[in-house]
Amino acid sequence: MAAITYSNVANAEQQNKAKDKVETIVISGTPGGMGIRKVDAAYAVTNVDESLIERLAPKSTADLFKAIPGVWVESSGGESGANINVRGFTSSGDAPFLTVSLDGSPVYPAPTLSFLENSSIFRLDETISMMEGLRGGPNPVLSNGQPGLTTNFRLKRGQADTEGTFKYTTSDYGLQRIDGVLSGEVSEDLYYMVGGYIKRSSGIRDAGFTSEKGHQFTIKLTKELENGEINVYTRQTDDTGAWYLPTPLNEAGVDAEYTQLGTLNRQATVSAGNGQVDIDLAEGRGWDGHVSGGSISLELGNDWHFIDRFSLTQGKANTYGLVPAGNAMNLSEVADNGVSAIGVATGKEYGADTRVQDYGRWVVLKDIEAFTNDLALSKDFGVINSAFGIYTATTSAKDWWSLGNTAYHVLEQGGEMLTGIACNDSFEGCGFNYDINSNGDATTLAFYTTHSYAATDSLTFDLGLRNERHQVDYTVDEGLDGVITKSVDYSARKTSWTVGTDYKLDDQSGVFVRFNKGFKMPYFDDFRDNFDDYSAGDELIKEVAQSEVGYKFMGENMDFFATLFANEVKGESFSIRPDLPAQRFTTEAHGIEIDFNYNHESGFSVNLNGTLQNSEVAQSPDATLTGNKSQRIPDWQLRITPSYEFELGDMFATVYGTISAVDSRYSDIQNTPSAVLDGYEKIDIGLTLEPMEQVQVQVAIDNLTDEQGLTEGDPRNPAAANGRYILPRSIKLSVAYNF
């Protein structure tokens, strides 16, 4: 009898979910984040709710973006420091065409600085209710004017009933993690949500010490008014993890579980300017800071609507890592005596045939701050809806770098540095060194307006315009000698636009066509990498033109979205290493994105996203690059996540999995035949059990077959036989109590 009752409840919940899905409201792509029904949106936007996030079990924030079609993610570097490409836009690393937003406000207006992309300062936990992923569309006109991808994370909010979750997670690599979230009512019309996590582990690639540790706390307050509501939140984070880098290929003992970092090499002394600095490489990459903000939304009467969203981000995003420099070799090739060398940490003598590799001890200290405000006023005139907005942002970054500091280490897990090698024992080290101290401030002031016209009940036209002034002040001391080698006093103004048409076939489906033109304005590192071009008068602005044609359907049990896209990016910048000048060129891409979800009352559901595209260099000062494929971007990728809910005795169970497949790619822009990264397939599986109504047990296995796919070669030296593997097989177990 209990099982029958439980089944009836489950079916009722399934029907409610189907109804809610048809009415899904998205705030991405709307002025100030005012919201629109997803089925009415004339652009491509993907929703990932908390249940799908749970099944995808992402290892990092960037890992979750794989659920968005048109997006290529290399999340094999750990919790931070992913490389993310959108719709074939080429880059040399990081995520220049990605903006991460929280409740509609960018967490940091500059999408990418060297050693910092937006996802690195955002951590997933139980406080997130949904992620939206908007590609192209009205993006260039709204918020920070991102022409590529905006992922907006929506926090849970309180309600009249007190609800909460307590969850414990462990793994086969020693993870210990506690998550919690609690929400409810403080007083009449005032609600709260609090939550966060604490975690520790030695890392999925075991460093032999606690290489991953962190905690996070979030609080959100919501006050409902007679004519609107006010929200405020703060998200305090201190989370670091080892930076996983390319490792030698085809070397004994080196596979997807390998990391050079270990107890014998984590502590080091590196040169910096005319002095030396002691560092601990165990600090890896991370974020120690806060993202705080809020919004006020008001109905002003006579169909006027006011909304203001604001955010403040402050903190440190530092990077420490062991970066390979060249190929592995026998010790005899570099030892002073040609026979042996001594371990610095252990005093052990290593023989001539010991495999060694040159590793740089890189240090990047980065102190960032940003404040944004997005105010919009809209009016419904009947068949015409108009909005007018002002977006402002102030962004700063203070950097201190010591790059290079290379020295030969024993090639083994945690292999130590050696003495008895001339360059190891010298102040200069075994390769290049690049040290900087820089300060940058940027301000953005943008006025935007959007208008939609309902020509008929089925046909709607829309237009958006944005005029933006972007200013940058930036100075760099290269060499840490107190001498400013590069200075920037920059101001530029650009106008972006978008036009679209939406035709409703019926209440559940429609088609749309959209064109837009936007810009990626330069920030601090763009000037340092391209200083000669800037000095010659180049504004260093990336100009992006896009076109889209889409079909959309949202039914009770199924939704399907297909979007054809084409784009051109003028002024793309590619840099192999921070101390080398960048190459600039134009790229073109076209393709199709598929986003499909199916939920059946029997308990079977499936999520599918796929991308088929072609991206290449259209124009380049270097004629040998013209016509080449964009580096590290596959022509196709596919991701399928089926699941099945069923009764297991007196328990309710769900079995699920994800099958991912990607095409081969070139690891370099020169399309070197020897630098092809083979395609691969990856399988993840999981099981959830609900032994009682409030308890859930989950087992998730990532990379079931322990596939050793490569996400990149050696981006700093394409000729070197190094590469970064996807993360190895891992198993997680979690137990949650919901109330």
Side-chain angles (χ1 to χ4, degrees):
M1 185 66 181
I4 295 174
T5 303
Y6 197 76
S7 178
N8 290 336
V9 170
N11 288 335
E13 290 178 348
Q14 189 79 16
Q15 292 171 4
N16 290 334
K17 288 179 182 178
K19 181 179 178 181
D20 291 343
K21 190 165 68 172
V22 176
E23 300 299 322
T24 296
I25 302 297
V26 295
I27 65 175
S28 298
T30 61
M34 287 183 286
I36 187 175
R37 284 201 325 160
K38 182 177 178 180
V39 72
D40 295 332
Y43 46 85
V45 59
T46 294
N47 293 84
V48 182
D49 62 21
E50 59 180 317
S51 62
L52 183 54
I53 293 175
E54 180 181 89
R55 292 176 187 178
L56 293 174
K59 291 288 188 297
S60 63
T61 303
D63 209 33
L64 180 60
F65 300 157
K66 295 174 182 177
I68 305 172
V71 179
W72 170 245
V73 180
E74 297 174 357
S75 55
S76 53
E79 186 77 20
S80 301
N83 299 316
I84 303 168
N85 288 288
V86 184
R87 287 184 167 178
F89 298 171
T90 301
S91 72
S92 52
D94 297 313
F97 293 100
L98 164 72
T99 293
V100 173
S101 293
L102 180 60
D103 272 0
S105 294
V107 298
Y108 193 63
T112 284
L113 302 180
S114 292
F115 304 99
L116 177 66
E117 42 80 27
N118 272 196
S119 77
S120 293
I121 56 177
F122 192 85
R123 300 292 185 270
L124 297 172
D125 64 13
E126 296 294 316
T127 64
I128 299 298
S129 67
M130 179 179 290
M131 179 196 72
E132 300 169 348
L134 168 62
R135 293 93 67 199
N139 253 340
V141 170
L142 303 172
S143 189
N144 67 331
Q146 170 61 261
L149 169 69
T150 295
T151 57
N152 180 44
F153 289 88
R154 295 167 65 172
L155 290 170
K156 294 177 180 177
R157 54 166 288 170
Q159 64 289 310
D161 296 329
T162 299
E163 296 180 353
T165 296
F166 176 85
K167 183 164 75 171
Y168 167 73
T169 303
T170 187
S171 73
D172 62 342
Y173 56 89
L175 173 66
Q176 300 295 309
R177 175 167 172 148
I178 299 292
D179 283 84
V181 63
L182 181 68
S183 61
E185 187 176 39
V186 177
S187 61
E188 185 176 1
D189 297 329
L190 179 61
Y191 307 100
Y192 72 91
M193 184 278 296
V194 296
Y197 69 82
I198 301 172
K199 71 170 187 180
R200 297 288 188 275
S201 86
S202 59
I204 192 168
R205 292 181 173 132
D206 188 4
F209 55 86
T210 304
S211 64
E212 293 186 351
K213 52 188 176 182
H215 58 269
Q216 181 167 269
F217 175 77
T218 303
I219 181 170
K220 178 178 181 179
L221 298 176
T222 301
K223 174 63 176 179
E224 292 185 349
L225 310 173
E226 289 185 1
N227 63 331
E229 71 175 37
I230 299 173
N231 291 278
V232 292
Y233 61 82
T234 185
R235 195 171 183 84
Q236 308 281 334
T237 309
D238 185 354
D239 192 299
T240 61
W243 183 21
Y244 300 134
L245 287 138
T247 55
L249 304 177
N250 305 314
E251 290 285 333
V254 178
D255 56 19
E257 295 186 5
Y258 180 89
T259 176
Q260 182 70 27
L261 183 64
T263 55
L264 297 182
N265 59 39
R266 59 180 284 187
Q267 292 178 272
T269 300
V270 301
S271 61
N274 295 320
Q276 292 185 316
V277 177
D278 295 329
I279 61 170
D280 183 0
L281 294 166
E283 296 187 41
R285 298 186 76 155
W287 168 238
D288 183 3
H290 73 90
V291 179
S292 306
S295 65
I296 177 170
S297 177
L298 301 172
E299 296 291 344
L300 302 180
N302 197 27
D303 294 321
W304 283 95
H305 184 81
F306 169 88
I307 187 166
D308 185 60
R309 295 182 182 275
F310 55 91
S311 70
L312 173 66
T313 298
Q314 289 178 310
K316 300 182 184 299
N318 298 333
T319 295
Y320 298 80
L322 276 172
V323 181
N327 291 308
M329 61 187 67
N330 285 332
L331 175 58
S332 59
E333 299 180 52
V334 292
D336 291 348
N337 60 15
V339 177
S340 65
I342 305 299
V344 170
T346 65
K348 177 181 176 181
E349 183 176 6
Y350 292 89
D353 59 353
T354 300
R355 298 294 282 174
V356 298
Q357 188 171 25
D358 195 11
Y359 278 92
R361 285 76 55 84
W362 287 26
V363 182
V364 175
L365 307 182
K366 192 178 294 284
D367 194 345
I368 65 171
E369 181 176 331
F371 176 72
T372 69
N373 194 83
D374 189 357
L375 183 153
L377 190 66
S378 67
K379 164 71 172 174
D380 188 350
F381 296 97
V383 296
I384 297 177
N385 188 287
S386 298
F388 304 87
I390 303 174
Y391 170 84
T392 60
T394 59
T395 308
S396 69
K398 298 179 180 180
D399 282 33
W400 186 96
W401 299 8
S402 179
L403 306 188
N405 307 304
T406 61
Y408 285 94
H409 290 66
V410 176
L411 184 62
E412 63 183 18
Q413 198 93 350
E416 62 185 316
M417 178 182 163
L418 298 168
T419 185
I421 300 174
C423 60
N424 276 23
D425 300 330
S426 71
F427 181 81
E428 292 79 12
C430 298
F432 93 104
N433 287 293
Y434 184 62
D435 305 333
I436 70 169
N437 186 7
S438 69
N439 285 274
D441 293 283
T443 60
T444 298
L445 173 62
F447 297 92
Y448 65 85
T449 182
T450 65
H451 305 271
S452 65
Y453 168 62
T456 68
D457 290 341
S458 301
L459 182 62
T460 303
F461 298 94
D462 71 79
L463 165 70
L465 294 171
R466 173 193 184 94
N467 184 263
E468 174 179 325
R469 186 186 68 190
H470 184 68
Q471 296 176 297
V472 177
D473 293 296
Y474 180 57
T475 56
V476 187
D477 164 11
E478 294 176 302
L480 302 182
D481 55 7
V483 177
I484 301 300
T485 56
K486 294 175 180 176
S487 64
V488 174
D489 183 4
Y490 175 90
S491 180
R493 185 183 294 273
K494 285 292 183 180
T495 298
S496 304
W497 56 264
T498 180
V499 293
T501 301
D502 185 79
Y503 183 73
K504 185 184 296 184
L505 299 173
D506 52 43
D507 288 341
Q508 297 179 316
S509 64
V511 293
F512 67 85
V513 178
R514 179 167 298 280
F515 302 93
N516 69 45
K517 185 174 183 179
F519 304 90
K520 182 185 180 299
M521 297 302 232
Y523 280 88
F524 318 122
D525 303 283
D526 297 304
F527 293 100
R528 193 194 65 254
D529 290 342
N530 302 276
F531 192 73
D532 289 343
D533 290 336
Y534 162 70
S535 300
D538 194 326
E539 290 188 319
L540 304 184
I541 297 172
K542 295 180 176 67
E543 182 179 313
V544 182
Q546 299 183 77
S547 57
E548 302 171 65
V549 179
Y551 170 80
K552 53 192 177 178
F553 172 83
M554 290 193 73
E556 291 188 357
N557 296 317
M558 183 180 75
D559 58 81
F560 175 77
F561 297 83
T563 307
L564 292 165
F565 67 87
N567 62 59
E568 179 187 67
V569 184
K570 296 180 180 178
E572 285 276 29
S573 181
F574 176 83
S575 177
I576 293 179
R577 211 170 61 193
D579 63 319
L580 299 176
Q583 296 173 286
R584 305 193 70 213
F585 44 80
T586 297
T587 63
E588 293 179 352
H590 60 271
I592 183 171
E593 303 164 344
I594 301 295
D595 194 352
F596 172 77
N597 289 279
Y598 176 74
N599 298 277
H600 193 270
E601 61 184 13
S602 66
F604 174 76
S605 66
V606 63
N607 165 267
L608 178 150
N609 78 76
T611 305
L612 178 65
Q613 66 183 355
N614 180 60
S615 176
E616 62 182 29
V617 177
Q619 293 180 338
S620 172
D622 182 352
T624 63
L625 297 181
T626 302
N628 281 6
K629 291 276 190 180
S630 295
Q631 68 161 8
R632 286 162 44 185
I633 299 178
D635 281 351
W636 61 265
Q637 55 177 315
L638 181 67
R639 188 178 179 94
I640 305 173
T641 303
S643 67
Y644 181 63
E645 300 177 353
F646 59 97
E647 295 169 15
L648 186 63
D650 292 335
M651 294 189 296
F652 198 61
T654 304
V655 61
Y656 61 90
T658 299
I659 303 171
S660 306
V662 301
D663 193 17
S664 58
R665 297 131 284 139
Y666 286 104
S667 68
D668 63 352
I669 198 69
Q670 289 78 21
N671 289 187
T672 307
S674 61
V676 173
L677 303 171
D678 292 334
Y680 61 86
E681 298 78 38
K682 177 174 172 282
I683 300 174
D684 312 319
I685 62 171
L687 172 69
T688 62
L689 299 172
E690 298 181 23
M692 56 188 70
E693 188 174 348
Q694 294 176 293
V695 176
Q696 183 183 75
V697 179
Q698 180 183 25
V699 179
I701 305 176
D702 184 77
N703 196 1
L704 176 66
T705 61
D706 211 15
E707 179 75 12
Q708 297 196 30
L710 290 171
T711 60
E712 65 176 50
D714 188 333
R716 286 152 291 274
N717 183 358
N722 299 312
R724 184 157 62 183
Y725 292 103
I726 62 174
L727 297 177
R729 178 173 52 231
S730 62
I731 304 172
K732 281 186 179 179
L733 169 68
S734 65
V735 180
Y737 177 71
N738 304 296
F739 56 92

